[in-house]
Amino acid sequence: MAFYDHYNYQRYWRGREYEHEAEIVALEKLFGQIPLKNRQTILDVGAGFGRLTPIYANRFVSCVLLEPSQKLINQAKRKLQYQNLEFKSGQGESFQLKTKFDVVLTVRVAHHIQDLPSFLKNINHHLKDNGFLILEFANKTNFKACLKALFEGNWSFLKNLASTDRRSPANINQETILFLNHHPVKVREDLKQSGFEVVTRLSVSNFRWPILKKFVPTGILLRGEKILQLFLAKINFGPSIFILAQKQ
Ligand SMILES: C[S@@+](CC[C@H](N)C(=O)[O-])C[C@H]1O[C@@H](n2cnc3c(N)ncnc32)[C@H](O)[C@@H]1O
């Protein structure tokens, strides 16, 4: 049974409208950079209940949603009304499809992946020549994490390319699903090693601070996202980094 079969992922999104919309802002920008000739087929790896499907369903002729949790696949089938969707069960590291895609999207999945190069190589194999990948990963070196490391006197934090395991000791003991924050330098190396060249990077959910979310209207935070995502990626500021990369 997949982890998300017994987790209420739809409920997770209640109260996270800002984070969801910040991701939409980023995806609008990245899809806007993909040429029209590369807009036939898209594969969403770890599609969940299809939260992001409305952003791409009308941009592509056909869309495949790959997901290990049958519960989430069933939710997506019930919720999504588009005619151009196909659903597949599978894991990012090991799925095998006969089709090659123009674009692969994978958001909020890399934090469950230990062996990122294998995951990226399998995706690369399923892309057409010069196809595009939109990859989101949880950023180990986000501003808050750097501040914490500074206070703890952890001077090697930035240099250490190993991913940070975000699970509690109890969850590690019970071997629950991984929650890894990846180092941006390592992700860039893994992308290169897996046959990708980075086109654009965006820093997303930059204002995910409880005090800001409480007192600043979401519309203003999102305006900040629109303006700052590109710049803040240069300093790996936010908790989430979106990358547009092209198959070499
Ligand atoms: C946090 S959810 C994100 C879902 C969706 N991409 C979104 O942004 O709403 C993580 C998803 O990744 C899926 N997942 C977990 N391990 C995976 C793997 N090895 N390969 C592909 N998907 C995986 C989970 O079942 C879950 O649907």
Side-chain angles (χ1 to χ4, degrees), residues 2-175:
F3 172 83
Y4 282 82
D5 282 332
H6 47 82
Y7 178 72
N8 192 338
Y9 188 51
Q10 299 213 44
R11 191 167 63 199
Y12 169 86
W13 281 100
R14 287 190 207 143
R16 288 188 164 86
E17 290 75 18
Y18 156 66
E19 288 83 351
H20 174 70
E21 291 299 330
E23 293 187 2
I24 305 287
V25 168
L27 288 172
E28 294 279 356
K29 285 186 194 171
L30 298 180
F31 278 122
Q33 290 187 35
I34 297 176
L36 276 178
K37 63 180 168 58
N38 298 83
R39 299 267 192 91
Q40 292 291 308
T41 52
I42 183 168
L43 171 68
D44 185 352
V45 172
F49 60 84
R51 178 178 65 95
L52 300 172
T53 306
I55 305 164
Y56 56 75
N58 291 327
R59 286 183 152 98
F60 288 83
V61 176
S62 75
C63 315
V64 176
L65 284 76
L66 181 95
E67 169 54 47
S69 158
Q70 192 55 47
K71 174 180 146 186
L72 293 188
I73 292 180
N74 293 342
Q75 286 177 359
K77 281 182 177 169
R78 279 198 299 273
K79 177 174 172 289
L80 302 167
Q81 299 298 319
Y82 306 94
Q83 300 304 311
N84 57 346
L85 307 184
E86 209 184 315
F87 298 87
K88 299 271 180 199
S89 176
Q91 303 265 344
E93 307 90 319
S94 55
F95 73 93
Q96 289 180 356
L97 299 175
K98 289 196 180 109
T99 326
K100 299 229 179 204
F101 296 86
D102 291 298
V103 175
V104 172
L105 171 75
T106 185
V107 175
R108 290 179 176 254
V109 178
H111 61 205
H112 295 317
I113 308 291
Q114 179 91 64
D115 184 355
L116 211 48
S118 294
F119 177 77
L120 294 172
K121 277 178 193 153
N122 194 30
I123 286 176
N124 186 289
H125 173 74
H126 285 86
L127 275 172
K128 293 180 189 168
D129 289 347
N130 301 320
F132 288 89
L133 164 67
I134 298 178
L135 166 75
E136 182 276 347
F137 68 93
N139 171 21
K140 171 185 174 177
T141 67
N142 67 71
F143 181 66
K144 268 197 256 180
C146 288
L147 272 187
K148 185 168 176 278
L150 197 68
F151 281 120
E152 288 170 353
N154 181 359
W155 308 118
S156 60
F157 179 70
L158 277 179
K159 276 199 212 142
N160 180 357
L161 299 191
S163 307
T164 311
D165 193 337
R166 306 276 300 141
R167 292 174 300 169
S168 66
N171 283 347
I172 293 174
N173 259 343
Q174 288 165 19
E175 295 183 5

